Amino acid sequence: MKAIGYKENLPIDNENSLQEIELKTPTASGRDILVEVKAISVNPVDYKIRQSRPPAAGQWDIIGWDAAGIVREVGEEVTLFKAGDEVWYAGDLTRPGSNAEFQLVD
């Protein structure tokens, strides 16, 4: 899947501050739903996280947590959603964000 991520906290005017990358599409399990992201927002939390929280060594970090999209998969413990449902949500700051084609959401 395509995503926008960063590997280091660079000034936003640096051409490497945010980069288009290719990642493996996640799979829903447990209580997670896999959402095909259709719309995102950019807000002050995204700016502050990108500026101050470095990714783990050698890893990409994906920001963006406010999104809307379509459920594509559900984990085996999910009861309130099904594939095809339209959703809007705020994700979890401890998980990869919505600046990607797909996002796992609890």
Side-chain angles (χ1 to χ4, degrees):
M1 75 173 174
K2 292 181 183 177
I4 302 294
Y6 69 98
K7 275 195 170 181
E8 54 187 320
N9 304 105
L10 299 170
I12 196 63
D13 59 354
N14 184 302
E15 67 181 40
N16 293 317
S17 63
L18 293 169
Q19 298 179 48
E20 184 176 336
I21 58 176
E22 191 73 30
L23 299 172
K24 184 177 177 184
T25 301
T27 301
S29 64
R31 295 171 37 118
D32 285 342
I33 61 174
L34 180 66
V35 177
E36 181 180 0
V37 177
K38 295 296 187 179
I40 62 169
S41 71
V42 177
N43 62 47
V45 172
D46 300 307
Y47 165 78
K48 291 174 185 176
I49 295 289
R50 191 201 59 80
Q51 184 180 40
S52 64
R53 184 178 78 185
Q59 299 296 309
W60 290 99
D61 205 356
I62 311 300
I63 57 175
W65 290 276
D66 299 331
I70 300 169
V71 176
R72 293 298 176 207
E73 287 180 10
V74 298
E76 60 278 0
E77 297 176 36
V78 174
T79 60
L80 298 177
F81 298 95
K82 64 185 181 318
D85 285 350
E86 295 180 343
V87 294
W88 53 270
Y89 56 93
D92 180 343
L93 294 177
T94 64
R95 301 179 80 177
S98 59
N99 291 353
E101 290 182 289
F102 296 91
Q103 183 181 20
L104 285 177
V105 181
D106 182 349

